[in-house]
Amino acid sequence: MSLIQTLRKKCRKTLFTTPSHAQKFFLFHKLRNFYKYDISETDIYNPQEALLKAEAKASKIYGTKSTLFLTNGSTSGIIAAVLACTKNNDNVLLWKNAHPCHRNAVKLSGANPIYYDLDISAEWGIPLAVNPSKIEEFFKKQKIKALIITSPTYEGIVSDIKTIKTLCDKYGTYLIVDEAHGALYPFSENLPQSAVTIADFTIQSLHKTAGGLNPTALLHCNCDINIRESLNLINTTSPSYPLLASIEANINYLNSKRGKKAIESLITNINEFKANCTNCEFYGDDSTKILVKHNKYSGFKLSEILYEKENIEDEITNEKSTMLLCGIGTTKKSLDRLEKALKNL
């Protein structure tokens, strides 16, 4: 029985358990169905059989040693990975301007943070890919227990994971890849290669591009470490089973013919959109990230015009360029509207 089927069965019970709404007291009626599937938790240290089966199925789909469901975002996955492979006074190499959870994970583990810089594109105003040779310079100087890299970046720049993993293996370093923005990668050959079958730990956010609910995510593991034990150190003992079930449904959709067709359609629509916007320039390794610039406007001014005049909100911007995030929920109609707005410039 799947996790989704388990929740449907639970909906028919008369409950004298937590949560106290008992699936019948709806404070927010627009979430009425969500309440109905919000069941009493099973101790997270001994997950329900249905959840274990769902995670085992996910692991098979992704080709990993294990894949765990996260309901506290990629942040919890990053922290769990660092806690799993480091101890007090170990050295962890991380990007100076990475997501705060990278630094927080190192702090919680008692390890020592060592920072590397990324080259910045003068033309686009964004950080570029991790340079393997610069990483090896750190490896040669001191023992690095774990390396954390962000690939893809916010703007869709992807690093050479295979080469970096080879270096990590050479120097006995665990590789942790923050692939929060690359949840669609395993399901399309027209997107960059995912790190899920390469790195020791790969963390993906389903809610960023794959259509998942905030803050659903995945923690993939490919080494002989009990990652669940580390995750349990920071996880709640009252998990949200509706969110867990949504993760199962999300993966099933991405792996289905329908889901893969939707991804290819999204990529095709974006490529056509870029080809039609001849008055703009685009850049990046990941077509689902529309990094755009216009020769008459700064990135900040372009962002302002889109927001104030066209009612279009971007994901992130800088002095040189603006990035608009696309995902499963991005329709051709939305792209047509963006195309029209950019042509109006």
Side-chain angles (χ1 to χ4, degrees), residues 10 21 116:
K10 278 276 189 179
H21 55 67
Y116 64 86

Side-chain angles (χ1 to χ4, degrees), residues 293-302 305 319-321 344-345:
K293 70 174 183 176
H294 192 283
N295 58 13
K296 290 186 179 180
Y297 304 102
S298 70
F300 293 121
K301 186 61 180 179
L302 177 58
I305 292 172
E319 180 61 33
K320 301 289 186 179
S321 58
N344 285 340
L345 294 173

Side-chain angles (χ1 to χ4, degrees), residues 252-269:
N252 288 344
Y253 173 78
L254 294 174
N255 193 49
S256 68
K257 287 184 179 179
R258 180 170 163 240
K260 291 177 181 179
K261 183 178 179 180
I263 295 170
E264 297 311 316
S265 178
L266 170 67
I267 295 169
T268 298
N269 290 339

Side-chain angles (χ1 to χ4, degrees), residues 117-336:
D117 281 321
L118 293 178
D119 293 333
I120 303 297
S121 168
E123 186 178 359
W124 291 88
I126 63 170
L128 297 174
V130 174
N131 186 330
S133 61
K134 289 187 177 180
I135 293 299
E136 188 170 20
E137 289 177 11
F138 284 94
F139 288 171
K140 288 178 178 178
K141 292 176 182 177
Q142 54 197 313
K143 173 62 179 175
I144 303 294
K145 191 63 177 293
L147 164 66
I148 313 174
I149 70 170
T150 303
S151 177
T153 63
Y154 248 116
E155 297 84 4
I157 302 301
V158 178
S159 295
D160 185 350
I161 304 299
K162 281 188 174 181
T163 298
I164 294 169
K165 182 63 170 76
T166 299
L167 284 175
C168 287
D169 289 343
K170 178 181 177 181
Y171 290 93
T173 302
Y174 287 101
L175 176 59
I176 302 169
V177 177
D178 183 343
E179 196 173 271
H181 281 265
L184 294 179
Y185 290 5
F187 303 98
S188 174
E189 294 182 356
N190 292 312
L191 291 173
Q193 183 178 19
S194 173
V196 294
T197 60
I198 303 170
D200 296 294
F201 304 95
T202 303
I203 297 88
Q204 297 177 318
S205 289
L206 291 171
H207 65 93
K208 284 186 165 65
T209 58
L213 290 168
N214 275 321
T216 55
L218 298 169
L219 170 55
H220 306 282
C221 178
N222 284 308
C223 56
D224 295 322
I225 285 181
N226 187 349
I227 186 62
R228 192 183 296 279
E229 187 176 288
S230 297
L231 188 60
N232 287 345
L233 292 173
I234 59 172
N235 252 356
T236 176
T237 55
S238 301
S240 169
Y241 278 93
L243 286 179
L244 290 171
S246 79
I247 294 174
E248 180 184 46
N250 203 160
I251 295 171
N252 288 344
Y253 173 78
L254 294 174
N255 193 49
S256 68
K257 287 184 179 179
R258 180 170 163 240
K260 291 177 181 179
K261 183 178 179 180
I263 295 170
E264 297 311 316
S265 178
L266 170 67
I267 295 169
T268 298
N269 290 339
I270 293 173
N271 290 339
E272 289 178 355
F273 151 81
K274 289 179 178 179
N276 291 337
C277 290
T278 54
N279 63 329
C280 295
E281 291 182 68
F282 301 95
Y283 182 68
D285 304 311
D286 180 352
S287 59
T288 67
K289 315 291 189 298
I290 299 177
L291 185 66
V292 58
K293 70 174 183 176
H294 192 283
N295 58 13
K296 290 186 179 180
Y297 304 102
S298 70
F300 293 121
K301 186 61 180 179
L302 177 58
S303 174
E304 180 185 333
I305 292 172
L306 290 175
Y307 188 82
E308 298 293 341
K309 294 186 177 181
E310 305 289 349
N311 203 28
I312 294 173
E313 185 174 359
D314 60 71
E315 174 73 11
I316 190 171
T317 192
N318 63 65
E319 180 61 33
K320 301 289 186 179
S321 58
T322 295
M323 199 280 286
L324 300 108
L325 177 70
C326 298
I328 286 293
T330 304
T331 63
K332 189 176 187 306
K333 183 178 179 180
S334 296
L335 289 167
D336 288 344

